[in-house]
Amino acid sequence: MWLQRIDDKIAALQKREAEQERGQRARPAEPEWFVELGIGDGRPPAEVHMGGCYAAGKRRRPVGRDEARRLLASGVRACSHCQPDTALDILDLPARTVLAATAR
């Protein structure tokens, strides 16, 4: 009787591990770039992040490399933690020049 319970428990644990492993393999890949969305009507883009950035909020959507560059060039703020503007080789952003002028 005890041996059957132990065998059942081992089988259940092996099944759970196999399901978790299958779920890990089936998980979609992290997007390379994503934009954090603002609050309100239309949810405007608020900040651009690299994939895997820990500082991003929950309201976000994946974007491609070209769209991330376009958003940064149009004035959307770049994350100060993951620095997507540096990774995208964008050196002169309009928002940075405004910040530098106000810091004086």
Side-chain angles (χ1 to χ4, degrees):
M1 180 165 80
W2 280 101
L3 187 57
Q4 182 62 40
R5 287 182 183 174
I6 293 171
D7 287 342
D8 291 343
K9 185 67 172 182
I10 290 172
L13 290 173
Q14 288 174 341
K15 182 179 177 183
R16 185 184 315 160
E17 284 181 10
E19 288 172 355
Q20 287 176 346
E21 188 176 310
R22 194 169 348 126
Q24 289 291 335
R25 281 182 289 178
R27 177 176 287 165
E30 178 81 23
E32 190 174 359
W33 311 98
F34 58 91
V35 63
E36 185 175 349
L37 302 171
I39 300 173
D41 192 29
R43 297 174 56 173
E47 199 169 45
V48 177
H49 296 271
M50 288 176 49
C53 179
Y54 65 90
K58 294 183 186 265
R59 296 177 316 272
R60 55 181 154 175
R61 69 176 170 86
V63 294
R65 181 179 186 87
D66 292 336
E67 187 175 355
R69 290 178 65 89
R70 184 187 58 76
L71 287 169
L72 289 170
S74 70
V76 176
R77 189 175 60 222
C79 175
S80 61
H81 297 276
C82 63
Q83 300 177 341
D85 52 343
T86 305
L88 289 168
D89 295 326
I90 299 175
L91 302 176
D92 189 28
L93 290 176
R96 285 206 170 163
T97 57
V98 172
L99 289 175
T102 58
R104 292 181 191 168

